[in-house]
Amino acid sequence: MRLTSRGAGLSAAATVLLAVGFGFQYAQLTVLGTAAVAAVLFGFAYVWWRPRLTVRRAVDPDRVMRGESSTVTLTVGNSSRLRGATLVAHDRCGPAAVPVPLLRLKAGGTTTASYPVPTARRGVVEIGPLRVVRRDPLGLLTLARGYGGVSKVWVYPTVHHLSAVPTGVMRSLDGRVDRVPHGSITFDTLREYVVGDELRHVHWRTTARVGELMVREHLDTSLPRLVVLLDDRLAAYPDADRAQASEHFESACEAAASIVMAAFREELPVTLRLARGGHAAGRDTRAYLDLLAEATLATGSGGADGDRSADGDGGRGGDGGRGGDPLDATVAQLRTRRAGDTLVYLTGPGGVADLGRVGTLRAAYPSLVAGAFGTADGEVPTALPGLQVLAAADGADFAAAWDGVGAW
């Protein structure tokens, strides 16, 4: 409950009038002071009454790409049996407040209001609770209460089409990827002997039956796996404002989303990791895109929401490098717990100096690719062994540079 400027002035005047009236025996001043106190007490009783409201909120859809439309439908009912309500209500939508008219809401009646959700920027938009402000007729006091729960809308980064994805050195059994020599792990078929085949692969029983040398052909059944490492350290994006918003970080999120969606299109396993901790893996794109929508810039450890799986279960986040740069701990984890054969590192201008540290993963990941956003020509080192660096201004520029690579 809060006194308005009018209420504060009237309260002060009531105190002075009562003091002077009782002190100097002025009955008229005492009556005026008493009336002022009665007005304040009436305002207190008026705003203290709590309207019986039911609030239902529906968001359709609750997960959208950046720039797509999402609508909130708010249904407010007056569950009182006798008394109507005329209230001033605002529904919180992100940092803004959306006015909701509740004029002459009859007892047992309902009213519905709809409004769009701002989706111009990536992130998680929290909606609610509905804030109802009670004000007495004299404008002396106001009291705000919250009704209903909180809903969320995940705004995903823009996805740019990528024509191909790196496939590393592995191969798949169904023949989608073929980059390693034959002759390992799993039996695939029999074929005729050619010069250079190892005799230990000769299938003698079939050879005796058909009358010519037949050899067994084996394939590596493991699929290539991509690992996308998104740098979410504040130091990597010098353009971040006071709200820790950075256009270069938005571009890096767009690139990460584009790579993840391209990998799903090619049916290749992919893992998404944040430099400050937290990762997503599995067969559902929602876990990846939710993690990207929740990603924020900060110093130290503590990524978006810890680990995510295809089932959407949260887990414990990485330690994020307690006591030091969180990128060091993430690089160490990627080295000791090899998660794939192709690593894609996405960072901003402040992370260019760390490309050498990521390059030390060359022994664990045969294919290393880095995307540097917001860097001018000549600022990105190109002589790092085993690391292919793509400099880009934004997400669309990165997609063009990605597709410009001759072959992965």
Side-chain angles (χ1 to χ4, degrees), residues 141-168:
L141 295 97
T142 60
L143 177 62
R145 291 188 175 97
Y147 290 84
V150 176
S151 303
K152 293 182 179 181
V153 175
W154 285 260
V155 181
Y156 295 153
T158 302
V159 174
H160 304 278
H161 178 76
L162 303 180
S163 60
V165 292
T167 54

Side-chain angles (χ1 to χ4, degrees), residues 176-213:
R176 290 195 304 270
V177 182
D178 189 358
R179 290 202 174 181
V180 295
H182 296 201
S184 63
I185 303 180
T186 303
F187 172 80
D188 181 46
T189 186
L190 291 173
R191 60 173 175 83
E192 295 182 3
Y193 175 87
V194 296
V195 177
D197 287 339
E198 297 185 31
L199 292 178
R200 62 188 180 92
H201 290 159
V202 174
H203 194 269
W204 297 107
R205 181 177 301 176
T206 305
T207 298
R209 186 171 65 252
V210 301
E212 57 185 32
L213 287 175

Side-chain angles (χ1 to χ4, degrees), residues 50-108:
R50 184 183 183 93
R52 299 173 60 184
L53 300 179
T54 59
V55 177
R56 296 190 302 273
R57 184 184 295 103
V59 183
D60 184 32
D62 62 350
R63 285 170 169 83
V64 296
M65 291 293 178
R66 181 177 176 180
E68 295 181 349
S69 61
S70 177
T71 304
V72 175
T73 302
L74 190 68
T75 303
V76 182
N78 183 4
S79 58
S80 175
R81 296 182 179 180
L82 301 175
R83 188 170 182 179
T86 297
L87 307 169
V88 178
H90 292 82
D91 200 23
R92 184 171 70 93
C93 183
V98 179
V100 179
L102 299 178
L103 302 178
R104 295 183 296 275
L105 185 58
K106 298 179 181 180

Side-chain angles (χ1 to χ4, degrees), residues 21 24-32:
F24 293 96
Q25 301 298 316
Y26 283 110
Q28 295 85 350
L29 296 181
T30 303
V31 171
L32 291 176

